[in-house]
Amino acid sequence: MKTIDELLSEGVAGKRVFVRADLNVPLDGTTITDDGRIRAVVPTVKALADAGARVIVASHLGRPKGAPDPVFSLAPAAARLGELLGAGVAFAEDTVGTAAESTVAGLADGRVAVIENLRFNAGETSKDDTERAAFADKLAGLADVYVGDGFGAVHRKHASVFDLPKRLPHYVGHLIATEVGVLRKLTDDVKRPYVVALGGAKVSDKLAVIDQLLGRADRLLIGGGMAYTFLKAQGHEVGISLLQEDQVPTVKEYMERAEKNGVELVLPVDVLVAPEFPDLKTKAPANPATVAADAIPADQEGLDIGPETRKLYASKLADAATVFWNGPMGVFEHPDYAEGTKAVAQALVDTDGFTVVGGGDSAAAVRTLGFDENAFGHISTGGGASLEYLEGKTLPGLAALED
C-alpha cells in the first residue's frame, strides 16, 4: 500500500483529493454525542490541506434507504470537522449532483469540502456490481487522487470503499495505517499473556472471532448480553436475560475447545439483575439486585456483571502484555449498570501491557464514562472492521488499496 506520506512527498498542491473518511457519528437530533471518528480523520485532512490540496471528504452516516433523509445528513459532522480544523468547511447537499460538482469546482488550494451522505445514493451499497460501479464512476469525476482513511467501513464492499480506489491513484491515510499497524500487533508475534475481553449483546456477532481466538489468546473474558448464552450452555437458569438459544450448542463446543487448547475462558460469577430493562432516556433509578451467576431468578434479567466478577476480571487483566477489548460488560448507558464496563476499562488503564479498545460501543463507553483516551494503547474507530480483521477475513476496503 502506498501511504499518504508518499503522496505528500509527490506533491498535492492544486490536486483534488478524495478522502473516504468515517464520519458515522452518533447523533441526538443534530447534536453529535461522540466526535471520536471525526477527530480521528483530522490528521489526514489537515496534512493534505496544509500541503495545498483541494480536499473532498466523503462518508456514510447511519442506514438511510438509498435516498436523501435529513435525519442522516452529514451537515453536523461537516460543521464539527470545520471546528476541529480551525477553518471553514464547505458542504455540498448532494453526493454527485450539481451541488457536489459546484462545491468541488469552487474549492481553492488548501480548502476542504464535505459532500452529503454517500448512502443517500443507492449505488453506494448496491450488491449489483454494475450499479455500484456507475456510482463510483461519478465519484471519480470529482477527484484526481483517492485517500482511504475510513477504517470503520473497510469491511464493506461499497462503491466509495471498494470500487472507487480502483479508478484513481490511491493511498492509505494516517488513520488506516495506524489501525492496521495496531491489529498486526494482535495477530503477528503477539506479546503474552494475551487477554481478550468480549462483551456486547449477541454472542452470534462474536462467534467467528472467538473461533480464531481459541487458537491465539491465553484468556477470554466474557461479559455483556452474550454471557448469558454461555451461562445457559453451562446449564444455568438465565431468567429473561438476553439469550440466543440456537447458539448454545456452538458455545458448548467452544468451551470444550478452550479447555482442550489451554485457553482460560472466564465467565461471570455474579450479575446485576432487575425485572425489566432500564429506561435509558430518563435514567431513572433501576435498583438492581446482585445474584450469583448460577442463581438468576426466572423472572429477572441480567444487565451487568457483578462486583465479584469485576474483581475477577481485573485480576485476569492485571498481568496482560496484550489486551483486546470489544463490547461493554453491561448496559453502560445507565449509571446503575455501568460499573462492570467501567471496571474493565480501569483494568486496561492499570495494566502495563499494550491495550486496544476495539471500537464501537467500547470506544463510546470509555468516553462516556470519562476515561482519558491517552490512557489506552489504542482506541479503534471500527468495531466491525477490527473483528473481521481478527477473524482473518479479507477486508474489501484494504484489498482495494493494495497496489
Side-chain angles (χ1 to χ4, degrees), residues 258-340:
E259 184 174 4
K260 181 179 178 181
N261 293 351
V263 177
E264 188 179 2
L265 198 155
V266 189
L267 299 178
V269 295
D270 62 346
V271 297
L272 299 188
V273 298
E276 59 185 7
F277 197 83
D279 189 323
L280 299 183
K281 288 190 175 181
T282 65
K283 298 187 178 174
N287 301 315
T290 302
V291 301
D294 61 357
I296 299 174
D299 62 347
Q300 301 282 304
E301 179 176 10
L303 296 162
D304 194 14
I305 57 173
E308 293 305 314
T309 305
R310 294 172 216 153
K311 294 176 188 176
L312 173 64
Y313 284 12
S315 72
K316 297 297 183 181
L317 289 160
D319 67 343
T322 305
V323 181
F324 175 71
W325 170 35
N326 180 280
M329 295 292 108
V331 187
F332 74 92
E333 300 91 340
H334 192 286
D336 287 352
Y337 302 106
E339 292 303 315

Side-chain angles (χ1 to χ4, degrees), residues 1 20-24 37 59-60 119 124 146-163 165 171-173 175-180 183 380-390 393-402:
M1 295 182 185
R20 200 337 178 157
D22 180 7
L23 308 181
N24 185 27
R37 284 176 169 165
S59 176
H60 69 286
R119 291 184 181 174
E124 169 67 1
Y146 178 95
V147 172
D149 214 31
F151 180 73
V154 294
H155 58 315
R156 306 294 188 191
K157 192 177 181 181
H158 291 171
S160 65
V161 175
F162 178 74
D163 301 271
Y171 300 80
V172 176
L175 173 60
I176 284 186
T178 298
E179 294 272 15
V180 171
L183 288 169
S380 179
T381 57
S386 295
L387 288 175
E388 290 198 15
Y389 188 99
L390 294 180
K393 290 184 177 179
T394 296
L395 306 188
L398 295 185
L401 292 170
E402 297 283 356

Side-chain angles (χ1 to χ4, degrees), residues 48-66:
L48 290 167
D50 288 349
R54 303 176 184 187
V55 187
I56 305 124
V57 179
S59 176
H60 69 286
L61 191 151
R63 296 180 181 274
K65 305 298 183 182

Side-chain angles (χ1 to χ4, degrees), residues 22-43:
D22 180 7
L23 308 181
N24 185 27
V25 293
L27 294 172
D28 182 1
T30 58
T31 301
I32 297 170
T33 57
D34 180 0
D35 68 354
R37 284 176 169 165
I38 303 175
R39 287 186 284 112
V41 79
V42 166

Side-chain angles (χ1 to χ4, degrees), residues 78-94:
R80 180 57 179 151
L81 178 62
E83 292 172 357
L84 293 168
L85 291 170
V89 168
F91 181 67
E93 295 181 349
D94 60 19

Side-chain angles (χ1 to χ4, degrees), residues 16-311:
R16 301 171 302 164
V17 181
F18 188 104
V19 177
R20 200 337 178 157
D22 180 7
L23 308 181
N24 185 27
V25 293
L27 294 172
D28 182 1
T30 58
T31 301
I32 297 170
T33 57
D34 180 0
D35 68 354
R37 284 176 169 165
I38 303 175
R39 287 186 284 112
V41 79
V42 166
T44 289
V45 174
K46 189 174 187 307
L48 290 167
D50 288 349
R54 303 176 184 187
V55 187
I56 305 124
V57 179
S59 176
H60 69 286
L61 191 151
R63 296 180 181 274
K65 305 298 183 182
D69 184 338
V71 171
F72 298 109
S73 175
L74 276 175
R80 180 57 179 151
L81 178 62
E83 292 172 357
L84 293 168
L85 291 170
V89 168
F91 181 67
E93 295 181 349
D94 60 19
T95 55
V96 292
T98 303
E101 292 172 356
S102 61
T103 299
V104 172
L107 278 178
D109 292 0
R111 306 301 292 180
V112 179
V114 174
I115 62 174
E116 187 53 284
N117 191 336
L118 292 163
R119 291 184 181 174
F120 284 2
N121 190 304
E124 169 67 1
T125 59
S126 177
K127 289 182 170 57
D128 183 280
D129 291 347
T130 301
E131 185 179 11
R132 214 175 52 246
F135 183 49
D137 287 339
K138 292 179 180 179
L139 290 172
L142 297 174
D144 306 304
V145 181
Y146 178 95
V147 172
D149 214 31
F151 180 73
V154 294
H155 58 315
R156 306 294 188 191
K157 192 177 181 181
H158 291 171
S160 65
V161 175
F162 178 74
D163 301 271
L164 182 56
K166 298 178 180 180
R167 288 158 168 75
L168 296 169
H170 47 268
Y171 300 80
V172 176
H174 291 309
L175 173 60
I176 284 186
T178 298
E179 294 272 15
V180 171
V182 166
L183 288 169
R184 284 176 177 160
K185 291 184 180 181
L186 301 178
T187 53
D188 303 331
D189 194 25
V190 180
K191 292 183 179 180
R192 299 184 180 279
Y194 177 22
V195 184
V196 177
L198 294 176
K202 295 182 178 180
V203 68
S204 58
D205 292 341
K206 306 286 168 61
L207 286 177
V209 75
I210 292 173
D211 183 58
Q212 289 293 317
L213 290 169
L214 288 175
R216 292 179 180 169
D218 297 299
R219 292 180 206 131
L220 287 177
L221 315 182
I222 305 296
M226 63 186 286
Y228 302 101
T229 302
F230 279 85
L231 294 174
K232 184 70 172 180
Q234 287 186 320
H236 301 315
E237 169 68 57
V238 297
I240 57 172
S241 306
L242 187 62
L243 172 66
Q244 290 187 281
E245 189 86 47
D246 61 322
Q247 301 299 336
V248 168
T250 302
V251 167
K252 282 183 178 179
E253 190 267 325
Y254 282 6
M255 293 169 73
E256 292 169 1
R257 276 179 54 201
E259 184 174 4
K260 181 179 178 181
N261 293 351
V263 177
E264 188 179 2
L265 198 155
V266 189
L267 299 178
V269 295
D270 62 346
V271 297
L272 299 188
V273 298
E276 59 185 7
F277 197 83
D279 189 323
L280 299 183
K281 288 190 175 181
T282 65
K283 298 187 178 174
N287 301 315
T290 302
V291 301
D294 61 357
I296 299 174
D299 62 347
Q300 301 282 304
E301 179 176 10
L303 296 162
D304 194 14
I305 57 173
E308 293 305 314
T309 305
R310 294 172 216 153
K311 294 176 188 176

